[in-house]
Amino acid sequence: MSIGNPRISGGVALAALLAFGTILGTSARADEVNRATLYGDMTTVSQDMLNRAGQDANNFLMTHGDYTQKRYFPNRQINTMNVRHLHPAWIFQTEVKETQETAPIVVDGVMYVTTAFDHVYALDARTGAELWHYKQPLGAITTYCCGPNNRGVAVYGNMVYLATLDSKLVALDAKTGKVAWQSDIADPELGYSETMAPTAVDGKILIGTTGGEYGIRGFVKAFDAKTGKLIWTFSTIADNSTGVWATKDATGQDLHRDIAAEKAALAKLGDPAKKLGGGVWQNPSVDLANRRIYFVVGNPSPDLDGAPRPGDNLYTDSLVSVDLDTGKYVCHFQYVPHDLWDLDAVSATVLVDAKDEHGASVPAVLHAGKTGFVYVNDRKDCHLIRFSEAMVPQENMFALPTPGVGTRMLPGANGGVEWSPMAVDPTLNLTYAINLHQPMHYSVKSAAYPDGKLWLGGAFTVIPEEEQWGNVTAVDYNTGKIRWQVKTAQPMIGGILATAGGLVFTGEGNGFFKAYDSSTGAELWRFQAGAGVNAPPSGYTVEGREYIVVGAGGNAQVDSKRGNNIIAFTLD
Amino acid sequence: MPTWILAVFAALALIAPAHADGIAEKVTLCASCHGENGVPVDAKIPVIWGQNAGYLYIELRDFKRGARASEVMAPVVADMSRDEMMALAEYFSKKPWPNLAQKPADAATAEHAQAVANSAQCSQCHLAGFLGASLVPRVSDQGYDYLLTTLEAFRSGARANNAWMTDLMKAYSEADIKALAAYLAGL
């Protein structure tokens, strides 16, 4: 247990804490000289830096680049003309050879990466030399569906923030890796767990939760960045979760619901809100002008069995906006009411200006679904402006899962687009998504709520004799049309980065890390990393030299080859 | 009922009145079946030394709740508090995994088992080397007889505390399960 832990109580501990606090206070003040500009040695991450992260060609300050989550790195030193000369600057090997999903964060030449089982490393971003290494001492109980993943840290002030598999929020001193405080987010024995990176904004640390496979009741919470105290909680499951009994999904396809039977079940069972799932897998985007955040909510529990959960199951499989300061509901839009396929909403939202139905440019929010559609919604009231052409084959879509072997349907339950964040090149009005094609059987089998254990209500199984593959797809968000698409040998999970150099970078389970021309999809460069590249790349610049960095450690969910590499690339 | 069980029930009767403050007596009781040096006294009893703490705790909890039925373990945990179960779990998880001197499966069996393991994606949860983590048990080098019994119990529904493992085992034949048990025991 650490200093500043809000759970410390009792006279002695408190007195010690206060005494220590005073000492810290003085030394911290001496250190607090505002030393330089964005391009100097600004090691303290200010709100101003975060607000302007999208234009910062030196640092990579947030999981998805900036508050709009465009993953657009504004340096053009590495570009379409010279990317073929890209080569490793250094490779850092972590202690953990397991599933790797970290999005590297870079502040003034210092890089922060995480690994499976919640290790954090601070590295010299120029050389890959280790500055410090923190291992979260995980509690006995951690519950997670899809591997002991961690997707990275948030940085704010002098702190680095980590959310852990045993559902704790930890603040580390950015210089030393020492724990400043630790707070409980939720009870892991009930199925709550953290794999996402937190988001830091205006003195708050925002965090969602996983557990949609375990009968949780999902949330987004805001904690005080200085103290770790809870500020607000938004429940992603509405108290009245039944909704409007929609018979079609957002794109007008029939969901084959038996509304009469569901209403009868509701009368008997009551509202299923308590164990309805609704995890949040990815960082919210933050609209600073309106002080709203936008995030998507995952699947209802149990995944495949609708019988114990009559109604639309709000706000599962939905885009949701809440007030940044209070956590109060603003608006929502549900993509798949009463989901029976785990075709939920997990990839990060992206804020762009897009054309609305009348051709006017409006503040919009993008999301790529496991359905294989990119959805474009209006930020004002969350309504759907348009959806894209399907990025992967959709066959037998929304056919009901059946007992036994099950129903064949496409896309499979991993998508379409999994949690993998998109990237946007705003100069081209294109959003880039990576997809999976995995034909699956969807079968249903009712089971009672198993007290925080895996609760799928059936199974989705890959059909072994059918071919699987993936693709990288560029979608024009002003029209919904696919601009270009490149097929990959394997289903894709990880993420993508766009740069001002006219490039997009993304990796594959077979170890390839590739650069494509962002306007045409032409492959311009590839590198074999020796382990699955299933993590989102980042870009940064130190001493005038641009780097692209990515984790290559494989992935538990698609079972790609494990490794323990963080690889930074540069030009000579 | 095998004689070792009778002997232990006698021990149980003796210990019950003493009741534990601390877990020392409990540990002695556990050792009478799960082994003083971690090697269980009977092939149908699982190794608990070196097993993941979260899993040990959840099993004790499930024996107590009746979610995992066991005539043998139910009385052992009947009066245990959550803290005691957690302390026992931590204690045994820190012990080294014992050497059961089990032989690796022959090549044909191993190949058969690996084919099943690939299609069932066991490693997605049980991770590399079948060592598990937290709530997912280590199953490599667990005793063969126990593995076979418990996998078959999942399949028949006799072990009902994990719907996923039950559904999974139902998808495979008896021969597949035998191969898995032999393969895991020999890892």
Side-chain angles (χ1 to χ4, degrees):
Chain A
M1 196 173 285
S2 57
I3 303 286
N5 186 314
R7 287 175 306 163
I8 288 182
S9 59
V12 181
L14 196 61
L17 186 68
L18 288 173
F20 197 62
T22 355
I23 299 162
L24 265 186
T26 14
S27 62
R29 217 166 297 130
D31 213 37
E32 229 171 65
V33 191
N34 194 348
R35 279 190 293 184
T37 66
L38 267 186
Y39 301 95
D41 45 5
M42 190 87 178
T43 52
T44 299
V45 178
S46 66
Q47 186 57 45
D48 185 56
M49 277 168 84
L50 292 176
N51 292 352
R52 293 188 288 137
Q55 291 92 51
D56 186 343
N58 284 314
N59 299 316
F60 203 85
L61 296 175
M62 277 176 233
T63 313
H64 303 313
D66 69 348
Y67 287 130
T68 69
Q69 311 208 112
K70 288 194 185 76
R71 305 197 116 266
Y72 180 78
F73 184 59
N75 196 338
R76 61 181 74 233
Q77 193 179 90
I78 300 169
N79 56 49
T80 49
M81 304 300 287
N82 59 21
V83 66
R84 67 182 190 281
H85 300 304
L86 204 61
H87 61 82
W90 51 260
I91 300 176
F92 178 77
Q93 291 189 283
T94 69
E95 206 176 85
V96 185
K97 194 174 168 188
E98 247 306 337
T99 184
Q100 174 54 280
E101 298 184 350
T102 199
I105 299 295
V106 180
V107 185
D108 191 37
V110 177
M111 180 183 299
Y112 302 98
V113 292
T114 61
T115 70
F117 299 110
D118 301 328
H119 292 221
V120 185
Y121 288 89
L123 307 174
D124 182 326
R126 251 177 341 165
T127 62
E130 179 179 318
L131 304 175
W132 53 257
H133 173 195
Y134 172 79
K135 270 185 223 186
Q136 173 72 6
L138 289 171
I141 301 174
T142 56
T143 311
Y144 43 81
C145 65
C146 311
N149 293 303
N150 184 275
R151 289 194 281 280
V153 296
V155 288
Y156 190 71
N158 300 313
M159 256 32 136
V160 171
Y161 297 90
L162 170 76
T164 68
L165 292 170
D166 55 351
S167 202
K168 291 182 166 36
L169 185 62
V170 185
L172 303 173
D173 182 316
K175 286 222 173 63
T176 61
K178 297 246 152 58
V179 176
W181 53 256
Q182 177 170 303
S183 292
D184 289 336
I185 299 173
D187 183 355
E189 195 171 338
L190 298 175
Y192 294 89
S193 172
E194 293 296 341
T195 55
M196 68 183 285
T199 292
V201 53
D202 269 355
K204 294 181 199 62
I205 305 298
L206 307 178
I207 193 78
T209 184
T210 69
E213 275 62 43
Y214 299 87
I216 60 153
R217 181 172 188 169
F219 54 72
V220 172
K221 293 189 180 190
F223 289 86
D224 185 300
K226 282 227 169 69
T227 63
K229 280 217 178 68
L230 183 67
I231 299 174
W232 54 252
T233 300
F234 173 80
S235 174
T236 58
I237 300 298
D239 287 331
N240 180 349
S241 69
T242 48
V244 298
W245 306 97
T247 56
K248 298 198 159 96
D249 86 322
T251 69
Q253 302 190 61
D254 192 2
L255 294 164
H256 308 293
R257 286 173 73 175
D258 183 343
I259 301 290
E262 280 186 47
K263 285 190 169 157
L266 181 69
K268 219 171 90 195
L269 305 171
D271 196 289
K274 261 202 186 127
K275 305 182 187 80
L276 197 48
V280 174
W281 282 70
Q282 276 287 9
N283 306 64
S285 47
V286 182
D287 185 337
L288 289 164
N290 293 310
R291 300 200 72 74
R292 290 179 184 179
I293 62 172
Y294 294 83
F295 54 88
V296 287
V297 180
N299 63 280
S301 295
D303 298 49
L304 292 134
D305 180 15
R309 49 174 174 86
D312 293 354
N313 305 150
L314 292 177
Y315 305 107
T316 64
D317 292 40
S318 300
L319 168 73
V320 178
S321 176
V322 308
D323 184 285
L324 169 62
D325 299 303
T326 62
K328 290 255 152 55
Y329 170 93
V330 174
C331 59
H332 82 277
F333 178 84
Q334 193 171 35
Y335 306 110
V336 184
H338 196 75
D339 176 13
L340 300 174
W341 308 270
D342 196 11
L343 285 185
D344 62 343
V346 282
S347 172
T349 56
V350 190
L351 305 184
V352 296
D353 289 327
K355 294 253 158 40
D356 72 1
E357 300 87 337
H358 318 290
S361 181
V362 296
V365 49
L366 310 179
H367 164 67
K370 281 202 199 161
T371 49
F373 293 119
V374 171
Y375 301 94
V376 184
N377 288 66
D378 193 319
R379 255 185 267 167
K380 190 170 66 243
D381 58 2
C382 292
H383 87 269
L384 184 70
I385 296 172
R386 70 178 61 83
F387 57 94
S388 72
E389 296 177 275
M391 297 183 284
V392 287
Q394 297 169 331
E395 288 172 30
N396 213 13
M397 190 114 130
F398 303 133
L400 298 179
T402 49
V405 177
T407 311
R408 179 182 178 279
M409 186 180 112
L410 280 169
N414 290 324
V417 182
E418 245 293 346
W419 56 266
S420 320
M422 294 196 289
V424 162
D425 187 329
T427 67
L428 300 171
N429 303 321
L430 292 179
T431 185
Y432 306 93
I434 61 170
N435 282 271
L436 303 92
H437 170 80
Q438 291 181 301
M440 284 196 189
H441 282 134
Y442 289 80
S443 70
V444 61
K445 186 167 164 286
S446 289
Y449 168 66
D451 272 337
K453 288 193 188 176
L454 195 62
W455 194 29
L456 299 181
F460 8 74
T461 42
V462 167
I463 306 174
E465 51 276 8
E466 292 201 42
E467 203 198 350
Q468 300 185 30
W469 42 263
N471 70 43
V472 188
T473 306
V475 169
D476 183 332
Y477 46 77
N478 285 332
T479 63
K481 291 262 176 340
I482 291 176
R483 176 71 59 81
W484 58 259
Q485 191 165 55
V486 178
K487 193 168 165 179
T488 58
Q490 298 192 332
M492 293 186 77
I493 278 192
I496 188 161
L497 176 77
T499 76
L503 299 167
V504 292
F505 289 91
T506 185
E508 298 169 34
N510 55 16
F512 281 117
F513 182 52
K514 295 178 181 169
Y516 301 90
D517 185 318
S518 51
S519 41
T520 65
E523 184 188 315
L524 299 178
W525 172 81
R526 64 163 69 185
F527 177 84
Q528 174 52 250
V533 183
N534 299 109
S538 307
Y540 64 97
T541 306
V542 190
E543 293 171 347
R545 182 190 286 268
E546 181 183 357
Y547 298 80
I548 302 294
V549 60
V550 73
N555 181 273
Q557 203 170 347
V558 292
D559 201 18
S560 63
K561 191 176 165 207
R562 307 299 203 278
N564 58 350
N565 305 318
I566 304 293
I567 312 179
F569 298 90
T570 193
L571 299 167
D572 277 328
Chain B
M1 196 176 270
T3 44
W4 60 265
I5 291 193
L6 291 178
V8 169
F9 277 141
L12 204 59
L14 274 180
I15 284 163
H19 224 297
D21 37 329
I23 56 165
E25 297 113 78
K26 292 245 160 50
V27 167
T28 318
L29 169 64
C30 315
S32 63
C33 291
H34 291 281
E36 303 224 327
N37 52 1
V39 179
V41 302
D42 183 274
K44 287 229 160 86
I45 304 178
V47 170
I48 60 172
W49 278 37
Q51 183 56 278
N52 301 316
Y55 175 71
L56 290 174
Y57 162 74
I58 290 290
E59 297 314 293
L60 295 174
R61 185 199 77 176
D62 284 1
F63 285 130
K64 180 165 175 178
R65 289 183 179 170
R68 178 172 177 185
S70 165
E71 278 178 32
V72 183
M73 282 302 297
V76 174
V77 294
D79 298 324
M80 270 188 211
S81 66
R82 183 183 193 277
D83 288 349
E84 285 172 317
M85 293 191 272
M86 199 56 103
L88 284 165
E90 294 281 359
Y91 173 85
F92 284 110
S93 71
K94 296 208 168 80
K95 296 277 184 189
W97 191 271
N99 182 354
L100 302 186
Q102 301 187 105
K103 293 207 175 56
D106 61 74
T109 307
E111 203 175 309
H112 180 173
Q114 277 163 350
V116 175
N118 285 339
S119 96
Q121 298 189 295
C122 312
S123 68
Q124 186 174 326
C125 302
H126 289 280
L127 303 178
F130 284 93
L131 295 173
S134 190
L135 301 192
V136 182
R138 167 175 175 161
V139 292
S140 59
D141 201 23
Q142 180 58 277
Y144 170 78
D145 284 331
Y146 170 73
L147 282 172
L148 187 62
T149 312
T150 212
L151 287 174
E152 280 176 346
F154 275 133
R155 187 161 185 259
S156 71
R159 179 169 173 183
N161 69 333
N162 196 290
W164 172 272
M165 284 301 303
T166 292
D167 290 345
L168 196 60
M169 288 305 117
K170 282 209 164 112
Y172 294 98
S173 70
E174 243 164 77
D176 293 336
I177 291 177
K178 273 219 171 78
L180 280 175
Y183 173 68
L184 294 174
L187 280 179

